[in-house]
Amino acid sequence: CLWTLAAILKETLKDAPAARAGALKKLLAPLDAVLEGFYNAILLHHFDSHYYTSPYSEAANNLISFIDLLEALLVSRTELELPFRCQRILFLKVSYVLNVISSSIPYVIKKKFILLLKKCVLCKSREDAKGGSQFLQTPSLCEDMLALSNVVLQVVNLTWLNQIPLSGKSSYFGSSETAPGHDSQGASDQTILRALSLVVLKALEFKIHNSATEAEIK
């Protein structure tokens, strides 16, 4: 079901521009609350269980299908002036994703979630993209980006980054030490390093731009 819905969303985005918004509204309006329920139920799951030990397990495969659906929802939000809640949920409840990334799920799933976060911080509305504005002008996207930025900066201020592996094997963010029994020559995943750095920098940039006082910026 997850795969099918993601595929339909992607196909809808290939429609003529004039028809996209109407098709998306028809598709997502009856599913809005359902998809938010999916998000809560799936991402509040206990990911340290034995079901997720292998990236090839059915549970892991279902989670990957859900990530693909979230990405399709993220891309589709630029087509609507007022996005649905299910298109905003990734921003408004980003803490769920951050918790999954720091859990013991397979590395390939962590990587997909991190790259999805990168797409979130680079997201622009169609109007902002046309206008070439450095900062977001669309109220709903501004609100969502601020919510995401606040949560990202809160966890980064704690020890969240230290829990994120930078390869499928050994090295961790901020450290070149390897775990016992691992190959000490294992190189860091530069894609993940760049994506995580960009997420943090964009969150910081957006928070500073939307801070009311100098004290808040400091």
mmCIF file of all heavy atoms in Angstrom, residues 7 24 27-28 34 36 45-46 96 117 129 135 141 158 164 167 170 177-178 183 211 214:
data_model
loop_
_atom_site.group_PDB
_atom_site.id
_atom_site.type_symbol
_atom_site.label_atom_id
_atom_site.label_comp_id
_atom_site.label_asym_id
_atom_site.label_seq_id
_atom_site.Cartn_x
_atom_site.Cartn_y
_atom_site.Cartn_z
ATOM 1 N N ALA A 7 3.965 5.682 -5.544
ATOM 2 C CA ALA A 7 4.032 5.622 -7.010
ATOM 3 C C ALA A 7 2.960 6.501 -7.643
ATOM 4 O O ALA A 7 3.213 7.216 -8.626
ATOM 5 C CB ALA A 7 3.876 4.172 -7.474
ATOM 6 N N LEU A 24 -3.884 16.303 -6.735
ATOM 7 C CA LEU A 24 -3.302 16.073 -5.405
ATOM 8 C C LEU A 24 -4.341 16.264 -4.304
ATOM 9 O O LEU A 24 -4.369 15.505 -3.331
ATOM 10 C CB LEU A 24 -2.120 17.030 -5.179
ATOM 11 C CG LEU A 24 -0.811 16.667 -5.888
ATOM 12 C CD1 LEU A 24 0.186 17.805 -5.774
ATOM 13 C CD2 LEU A 24 -0.222 15.385 -5.318
ATOM 14 N N LEU A 27 -6.563 13.259 -4.166
ATOM 15 C CA LEU A 27 -5.860 12.091 -3.643
ATOM 16 C C LEU A 27 -5.612 12.200 -2.140
ATOM 17 O O LEU A 27 -5.826 11.242 -1.380
ATOM 18 C CB LEU A 27 -4.525 11.926 -4.382
ATOM 19 C CG LEU A 27 -3.602 10.799 -3.915
ATOM 20 C CD1 LEU A 27 -4.233 9.435 -4.158
ATOM 21 C CD2 LEU A 27 -2.260 10.883 -4.634
ATOM 22 N N LEU A 28 -5.153 13.375 -1.683
ATOM 23 C CA LEU A 28 -4.680 13.512 -0.304
ATOM 24 C C LEU A 28 -5.746 13.918 0.709
ATOM 25 O O LEU A 28 -5.614 13.597 1.891
ATOM 26 C CB LEU A 28 -3.515 14.514 -0.256
ATOM 27 C CG LEU A 28 -2.247 14.095 -1.013
ATOM 28 C CD1 LEU A 28 -1.195 15.191 -0.930
ATOM 29 C CD2 LEU A 28 -1.683 12.785 -0.466
ATOM 30 N N VAL A 34 -5.284 9.841 7.912
ATOM 31 C CA VAL A 34 -4.768 8.466 7.890
ATOM 32 C C VAL A 34 -3.241 8.469 7.809
ATOM 33 O O VAL A 34 -2.560 7.726 8.521
ATOM 34 C CB VAL A 34 -5.350 7.686 6.682
ATOM 35 C CG1 VAL A 34 -4.738 6.294 6.593
ATOM 36 C CG2 VAL A 34 -6.857 7.602 6.797
ATOM 37 N N GLU A 36 -1.165 10.855 8.666
ATOM 38 C CA GLU A 36 -0.551 11.330 9.916
ATOM 39 C C GLU A 36 -0.564 10.211 10.953
ATOM 40 O O GLU A 36 0.392 10.032 11.710
ATOM 41 C CB GLU A 36 -1.286 12.554 10.467
ATOM 42 C CG GLU A 36 -0.611 13.077 11.732
ATOM 43 C CD GLU A 36 -1.175 14.403 12.224
ATOM 44 O OE1 GLU A 36 -2.094 14.952 11.588
ATOM 45 O OE2 GLU A 36 -0.675 14.896 13.258
ATOM 46 N N HIS A 45 7.551 3.324 16.587
ATOM 47 C CA HIS A 45 7.789 1.897 16.783
ATOM 48 C C HIS A 45 9.106 1.690 17.535
ATOM 49 O O HIS A 45 9.952 2.573 17.584
ATOM 50 C CB HIS A 45 7.871 1.222 15.412
ATOM 51 C CG HIS A 45 7.697 -0.255 15.453
ATOM 52 N ND1 HIS A 45 6.503 -0.842 15.784
ATOM 53 C CD2 HIS A 45 8.569 -1.262 15.218
ATOM 54 C CE1 HIS A 45 6.646 -2.151 15.733
ATOM 55 N NE2 HIS A 45 7.888 -2.429 15.397
ATOM 56 N N HIS A 46 9.274 0.492 18.099
ATOM 57 C CA HIS A 46 10.510 0.161 18.828
ATOM 58 C C HIS A 46 11.534 -0.378 17.831
ATOM 59 O O HIS A 46 11.527 -1.553 17.485
ATOM 60 C CB HIS A 46 10.220 -0.877 19.918
ATOM 61 C CG HIS A 46 11.395 -1.174 20.798
ATOM 62 N ND1 HIS A 46 12.005 -0.207 21.576
ATOM 63 C CD2 HIS A 46 12.100 -2.320 21.008
ATOM 64 C CE1 HIS A 46 13.015 -0.749 22.233
ATOM 65 N NE2 HIS A 46 13.096 -2.028 21.901
ATOM 66 N N TYR A 96 10.545 12.574 15.641
ATOM 67 C CA TYR A 96 10.346 11.137 15.429
ATOM 68 C C TYR A 96 11.453 10.584 14.530
ATOM 69 O O TYR A 96 12.020 9.526 14.776
ATOM 70 C CB TYR A 96 8.992 10.865 14.766
ATOM 71 C CG TYR A 96 7.775 11.143 15.609
ATOM 72 C CD1 TYR A 96 7.809 12.008 16.695
ATOM 73 C CD2 TYR A 96 6.554 10.561 15.311
ATOM 74 C CE1 TYR A 96 6.672 12.269 17.463
ATOM 75 C CE2 TYR A 96 5.414 10.802 16.060
ATOM 76 C CZ TYR A 96 5.487 11.669 17.133
ATOM 77 O OH TYR A 96 4.361 11.924 17.878
ATOM 78 N N LEU A 117 16.052 14.421 5.350
ATOM 79 C CA LEU A 117 16.157 15.663 6.130
ATOM 80 C C LEU A 117 16.854 16.755 5.320
ATOM 81 O O LEU A 117 16.481 17.927 5.378
ATOM 82 C CB LEU A 117 16.947 15.419 7.421
ATOM 83 C CG LEU A 117 16.229 14.729 8.573
ATOM 84 C CD1 LEU A 117 17.174 14.602 9.764
ATOM 85 C CD2 LEU A 117 14.976 15.490 8.981
ATOM 86 N N ALA A 129 11.061 29.778 -5.267
ATOM 87 C CA ALA A 129 11.998 29.306 -6.285
ATOM 88 C C ALA A 129 12.002 30.249 -7.487
ATOM 89 O O ALA A 129 13.053 30.581 -8.037
ATOM 90 C CB ALA A 129 11.628 27.893 -6.730
ATOM 91 N N PHE A 135 15.605 33.836 1.288
ATOM 92 C CA PHE A 135 14.835 33.385 2.443
ATOM 93 C C PHE A 135 13.392 33.074 2.046
ATOM 94 O O PHE A 135 12.863 33.650 1.108
ATOM 95 C CB PHE A 135 14.871 34.440 3.550
ATOM 96 C CG PHE A 135 16.250 34.690 4.068
ATOM 97 C CD1 PHE A 135 16.925 35.849 3.739
ATOM 98 C CD2 PHE A 135 16.898 33.735 4.846
ATOM 99 C CE1 PHE A 135 18.215 36.065 4.198
ATOM 100 C CE2 PHE A 135 18.187 33.951 5.308
ATOM 101 C CZ PHE A 135 18.848 35.117 4.984
ATOM 102 N N LEU A 141 5.505 27.282 4.928
ATOM 103 C CA LEU A 141 6.842 26.690 4.851
ATOM 104 C C LEU A 141 7.781 27.343 5.863
ATOM 105 O O LEU A 141 8.627 26.671 6.464
ATOM 106 C CB LEU A 141 7.404 26.824 3.430
ATOM 107 C CG LEU A 141 8.691 26.037 3.136
ATOM 108 C CD1 LEU A 141 8.556 24.568 3.524
ATOM 109 C CD2 LEU A 141 9.070 26.155 1.665
ATOM 110 N N LEU A 158 22.578 18.649 22.399
ATOM 111 C CA LEU A 158 22.778 17.538 23.334
ATOM 112 C C LEU A 158 23.835 16.604 22.736
ATOM 113 O O LEU A 158 24.869 17.065 22.293
ATOM 114 C CB LEU A 158 21.444 16.832 23.578
ATOM 115 C CG LEU A 158 20.332 17.745 24.152
ATOM 116 C CD1 LEU A 158 19.003 17.038 24.172
ATOM 117 C CD2 LEU A 158 20.709 18.219 25.557
ATOM 118 N N ILE A 164 25.465 9.220 15.723
ATOM 119 C CA ILE A 164 25.220 8.959 14.310
ATOM 120 C C ILE A 164 26.463 8.375 13.646
ATOM 121 O O ILE A 164 27.498 9.026 13.566
ATOM 122 C CB ILE A 164 24.823 10.261 13.566
ATOM 123 C CG1 ILE A 164 23.735 11.005 14.345
ATOM 124 C CG2 ILE A 164 24.373 9.941 12.144
ATOM 125 C CD1 ILE A 164 22.491 10.190 14.624
ATOM 126 N N SER A 167 29.495 5.640 8.692
ATOM 127 C CA SER A 167 29.677 4.577 7.707
ATOM 128 C C SER A 167 28.933 3.366 8.227
ATOM 129 O O SER A 167 28.482 3.349 9.370
ATOM 130 C CB SER A 167 31.161 4.246 7.520
ATOM 131 O OG SER A 167 31.623 3.484 8.611
ATOM 132 N N SER A 170 32.336 1.801 11.072
ATOM 133 C CA SER A 170 33.070 2.161 12.273
ATOM 134 C C SER A 170 33.017 3.603 12.735
ATOM 135 O O SER A 170 32.684 3.873 13.870
ATOM 136 C CB SER A 170 34.532 1.773 12.076
ATOM 137 O OG SER A 170 35.004 2.311 10.855
ATOM 138 N N GLU A 177 37.683 7.295 15.846
ATOM 139 C CA GLU A 177 37.916 6.037 16.540
ATOM 140 C C GLU A 177 37.037 4.946 15.959
ATOM 141 O O GLU A 177 35.914 5.186 15.544
ATOM 142 C CB GLU A 177 37.609 6.187 18.044
ATOM 143 C CG GLU A 177 38.579 7.109 18.756
ATOM 144 C CD GLU A 177 38.261 7.202 20.237
ATOM 145 O OE1 GLU A 177 37.461 6.376 20.714
ATOM 146 O OE2 GLU A 177 38.801 8.096 20.884
ATOM 147 N N THR A 178 37.553 3.734 15.947
ATOM 148 C CA THR A 178 36.773 2.621 15.417
ATOM 149 C C THR A 178 36.333 1.706 16.539
ATOM 150 O O THR A 178 36.979 1.607 17.576
ATOM 151 C CB THR A 178 37.621 1.805 14.420
ATOM 152 O OG1 THR A 178 38.812 1.365 15.090
ATOM 153 C CG2 THR A 178 38.013 2.639 13.219
ATOM 154 N N ASP A 183 37.303 -2.740 10.932
ATOM 155 C CA ASP A 183 38.441 -2.343 10.097
ATOM 156 C C ASP A 183 38.777 -0.876 10.349
ATOM 157 O O ASP A 183 37.969 0.010 10.123
ATOM 158 C CB ASP A 183 38.052 -2.548 8.625
ATOM 159 C CG ASP A 183 39.139 -2.073 7.671
ATOM 160 O OD1 ASP A 183 40.286 -1.876 8.112
ATOM 161 O OD2 ASP A 183 38.819 -1.901 6.489
ATOM 162 N N SER A 211 15.022 34.982 14.339
ATOM 163 C CA SER A 211 15.088 35.325 15.768
ATOM 164 C C SER A 211 14.766 36.793 15.945
ATOM 165 O O SER A 211 15.214 37.640 15.191
ATOM 166 C CB SER A 211 16.483 35.025 16.322
ATOM 167 O OG SER A 211 16.725 33.643 16.296
ATOM 168 N N GLU A 214 18.644 40.039 19.600
ATOM 169 C CA GLU A 214 20.070 39.712 19.507
ATOM 170 C C GLU A 214 20.442 38.632 20.528
ATOM 171 O O GLU A 214 21.262 37.748 20.252
ATOM 172 C CB GLU A 214 20.903 40.969 19.749
ATOM 173 C CG GLU A 214 22.375 40.778 19.391
ATOM 174 C CD GLU A 214 23.170 42.062 19.511
ATOM 175 O OE1 GLU A 214 22.570 43.154 19.411
ATOM 176 O OE2 GLU A 214 24.383 41.976 19.700
#
